[in-house]
Amino acid sequence: MKRTGERLAGYLMTAPFYVLFGVFGLFPLLYTAWVALHHWHLVNGDTGFAGLDNFGVLLQDPHFYNALFNTVSIFVLSTVPQLFAALGLAALLDRPLRARTLWRASVLLPNVVSVVAVALVFSQLFAEDYGVVNWALGLVGLDPVDWRSDRFASHVAVSAMVMWRWTGYNALLYLAAMQSVPQERYDAAMLDGASRWRSFWSITVPAIRPTIAFTVVVSTIGGLQLFAEPQLLDETGVNGTGGADRQFQTLAMYLYEKGFGEFDAGYAAAIAWVLFLFSAVFALVNFSLVRRMRGGE
Amino acid sequence: MTVAARERTGFVVYGLLLAVVVASIFPLYWSFVVSSKDNSALGETTPPLVPGGNLIENVERVFGTVDFWLAMQNSLIVAGTVTVSNVLLSSMAGFAFARLRFPGRDSLFLVVIGTAMVPAQLGVIPLYLVVGELGWYGRLEAVIVPGLVGAFSVFWMRQACEEAIPGELLDAGRVDGCSTVRLFWNVAMPAIRPQAAVLGMLTFMTAWNDFFWPLIVLDPNAHPTVQVALSRLASGYFTDYSLMLTAATIGVLPVVGLFIVLARKVVDGVMRGAPRG
């Protein structure tokens, strides 16, 4: 009698979640596979079974490879320096500090700013003619950079936006992990005459490895989904091409262009699947790299 | 605290931290500077670095160019509804997943964790079709309803229910003949209120800042959210940068204001979200 009551309550309390999550979360994820196997117009609907046609076309589509290259390039440029910077920042925040919360909140502030606002502000900072960045480069005697037209420079500009928004957030995750490293390990290292640098790499970093692995996986999934930053860097409009020569079009932008610009839902669904597979493979590879990483010895 | 606990923190550390903080704040400060300037100030060879006197005029221009009030109101409706719903429904589901026993519980929860790791963009095409079937294109329902629950929210509240609710208290309540609903409302909810508050803040910020899905499904002219309205200001029809950045500054204010008021809790919430070894 009591057990049935608990069962019933369990189902009733999770029912709203089951229903909403099923219809708007799980079902779309699974249904993407079905759409990807069809010629499917976004407005007119299913126009016939396609088998693997969409994937076949995708594998010979130069715009797809271009977007894939850009995505990976921006991902590497933003994530690698970002995670090292976050590690260093966390080490600084781990010192005994006055006004601790103020420092922590200040580095987290960029994370609460909307990505659209970030993109608008940085687009102006990186403007070719009157931008602050080129002005600062001029101060130290460097030539102005065309941050939009040049492929590599545009990737750097987008990466700067990502780094600005996420470094502090990751630093706080590392800080949380660092604070649970037992003090005795540091004491022992100090007795052995280890430098602070040495004990950071041989004790702190290995001890927080699970957190590093977590941030690497999350950054991988987030990095491969990058959309708003490059989208809004493009002054020619919001059609998702990422510059005149698609020099900074990411996979998510290509999905948007095909699905919601050209209404080719089947093809866009195929892009979504490839995007997902890459995220999964990338996340796994990165995860196992971090797993294998060992301390100094 | 680590090695450094015994030494005094030197100027170098504070200097480096200060540099990071300046870098964190500068883009926001600069956005504010531009919003207080005449558009022509941006064409000067030295970029403006101190505020000017055109702030009010620029704000008026933003509200005169696009219906920014409507956009703010829409964002508030969307983020508010999504926040209340996530906190309430996820607390209920989290409590059931953590503290009640019923067939199918564990396998469903595994599915939840699994989908939390999948990029949302994977399901965006079918989600668009579902929303269309319901006749919601261009309407706020299209943004609100799919956001009412989230895998992360349920995960977060389940964790809270496992850690923060004393098992003895639940058992005592059961012995006294409390119904499950009363146990949830009178025993569990008070205990998990801090975690629910943090979830609420994080959800509000995420919902306010959301861009990809609202851009796809909302009509930027009829019913935009703030982020969609901002992207429209930037989309080639206007090249008025002080207008654009004034709007961006206004759109950022509610969330930055919330953050400043609740900074300690948000920081604690983020740090608690970190997995430990």
Side-chain angles (χ1 to χ4, degrees), chain A residues 167-219:
Chain A
T167 304
Y169 175 86
N170 285 317
L172 289 188
L173 295 189
Y174 293 157
L175 176 63
M178 283 179 187
Q179 291 184 335
S180 55
V181 181
Q183 178 65 35
E184 302 85 67
R185 291 200 210 166
Y186 294 110
D187 294 340
M190 229 156 77
L191 285 178
D192 291 346
S195 68
R196 179 179 284 157
W197 179 255
R198 181 68 194 271
S199 50
F200 180 73
W201 288 106
S202 304
I203 299 172
T204 313
V205 172
I208 65 168
R209 219 167 36 197
T211 312
I212 296 178
F214 173 79
T215 57
V216 166
V217 170
V218 172
S219 315

Side-chain angles (χ1 to χ4, degrees), chain B residues 141-155:
Chain B
E141 289 96 317
V143 189
I144 294 173
V145 180
L148 289 178
V149 292
F152 169 79
S153 306
V154 173
F155 184 71

Side-chain angles (χ1 to χ4, degrees), chain A residues 2-3 5-7 9-14 16-18 20-21 23-24 26-29 31-32 35 40-42 89 92-98 100-101 103-117 120-122 124-125 130-132 135 164-165 169 172-181 183 186-187 190 196 199 204 207 210-211 214 217 221 224-228 231-232 234-238 252 255-256 259-260 264-265 268-269 272-273 275-276 279, chain B residues 1-10 13-14 16-18 20-21 23-28 30-31 42-47 49 85 89 91-93 95-97 99-105 108 111-112 115 117-131 134 136-137 145-146 148-151 154 174 180 184 205 208-209 211-213 215-216 227 230-231 234-236 241 244-245 248 252 255-256 259-260 263-264 266-268 270-277:
Chain A
K2 231 181 108 212
R3 275 280 91 102
E6 188 177 320
R7 264 187 203 182
Y11 287 124
L12 286 179
M13 291 178 80
T14 47
F17 169 73
Y18 279 120
L20 288 165
F21 182 73
V23 175
F24 297 103
L26 198 55
F27 170 73
L29 287 183
Y31 201 58
T32 305
V35 177
W40 199 304
H41 187 272
L42 193 69
L89 182 56
L92 292 178
L93 290 168
D94 197 27
R95 304 289 198 86
L97 293 172
R98 288 168 197 278
R100 234 173 32 191
T101 305
W103 293 112
R104 292 179 184 175
S106 306
V107 304
L108 188 62
L109 178 67
N111 191 244
V112 306
V113 176
S114 85
V115 55
V116 177
L120 293 184
V121 176
F122 274 70
Q124 286 318 299
L125 291 173
Y130 305 111
V132 174
W135 171 76
W164 184 76
R165 195 152 178 264
Y169 175 86
L172 289 188
L173 295 189
Y174 293 157
L175 176 63
M178 283 179 187
Q179 291 184 335
S180 55
V181 181
Q183 178 65 35
Y186 294 110
D187 294 340
M190 229 156 77
R196 179 179 284 157
S199 50
T204 313
T211 312
F214 173 79
V217 170
I221 293 167
L224 296 180
Q225 287 190 72
L226 212 60
F227 176 75
Q231 172 90 345
L232 290 161
D234 193 348
E235 278 176 320
T236 58
V238 284
L255 188 164
Y256 178 80
F260 300 98
D264 193 344
W273 263 101
L275 182 67
F276 167 64
S279 307
Chain B
M1 283 183 212
T2 57
V3 211
R6 289 163 197 171
E7 299 161 41
R8 288 194 41 220
T9 304
V13 173
Y14 281 111
L16 285 170
L17 279 175
L18 196 65
V20 174
V21 170
S24 299
I25 293 174
F26 178 76
L28 292 176
W30 188 77
S31 176
L42 281 167
E44 287 161 17
T45 36
T46 309
L49 293 173
S85 160
L89 297 183
S91 298
M92 277 164 52
F95 177 74
F97 280 132
R99 294 309 183 108
L100 301 178
R101 252 160 296 163
F102 54 96
R105 181 189 75 169
L108 188 87
V111 175
V112 174
T115 49
M117 299 299 284
V118 176
Q121 285 155 349
L122 181 60
V124 83
I125 295 276
L127 185 58
Y128 185 84
L129 300 174
V130 169
V131 162
L134 295 163
W136 289 347
Y137 288 145
V145 180
L148 289 178
V149 292
V154 173
R174 284 207 177 95
T180 308
F184 167 70
M205 289 173 178
W208 183 274
N209 291 336
F211 177 57
F212 188 66
W213 178 242
L215 175 72
I216 286 169
Q227 311 307 331
L230 280 179
S231 79
S235 70
Y241 296 128
M244 243 166 60
L245 292 192
V252 150
V255 169
V256 169
F259 176 72
I260 289 171
R264 187 182 297 270
V266 186
V267 169
D268 288 349
V270 166
M271 288 182 61
R272 208 178 303 147
R276 253 145 283 182

Side-chain angles (χ1 to χ4, degrees), chain B residues 50-207:
Chain B
V50 283
N54 293 55
L55 180 63
I56 293 169
E57 191 201 313
N58 283 332
V59 171
E60 281 171 350
R61 279 193 318 128
V62 167
F63 287 100
T65 310
V66 287
D67 197 344
F68 214 68
W69 280 125
L70 179 69
M72 298 275 277
Q73 193 187 313
N74 284 340
S75 283
L76 201 64
I77 294 171
V78 171
T81 318
V82 164
T83 301
V84 171
S85 160
N86 261 283
V87 169
L88 191 70
L89 297 183
S90 302
S91 298
M92 277 164 52
F95 177 74
F97 280 132
R99 294 309 183 108
L100 301 178
R101 252 160 296 163
F102 54 96
R105 181 189 75 169
D106 294 338
S107 42
L108 188 87
F109 191 68
L110 271 179
V111 175
V112 174
I113 297 178
T115 49
M117 299 299 284
V118 176
Q121 285 155 349
L122 181 60
V124 83
I125 295 276
L127 185 58
Y128 185 84
L129 300 174
V130 169
V131 162
E133 286 293 318
L134 295 163
W136 289 347
Y137 288 145
R139 296 161 51 135
L140 291 185
E141 289 96 317
V143 189
I144 294 173
V145 180
L148 289 178
V149 292
F152 169 79
S153 306
V154 173
F155 184 71
W156 178 268
M157 290 320 297
R158 177 181 178 267
Q159 201 73 12
C161 289
E162 281 194 334
E163 283 167 7
I165 305 172
E168 311 86 64
L169 213 57
L170 282 183
D171 292 340
R174 284 207 177 95
V175 171
D176 289 349
C178 263
S179 69
T180 308
V181 175
R182 282 204 55 184
L183 280 180
F184 167 70
W185 196 252
N186 296 337
V187 179
M189 270 314 257
I192 58 175
R193 203 177 289 151
Q195 288 93 330
V198 172
L199 175 70
M201 289 174 324
L202 297 177
T203 309
F204 187 88
M205 289 173 178
T206 311

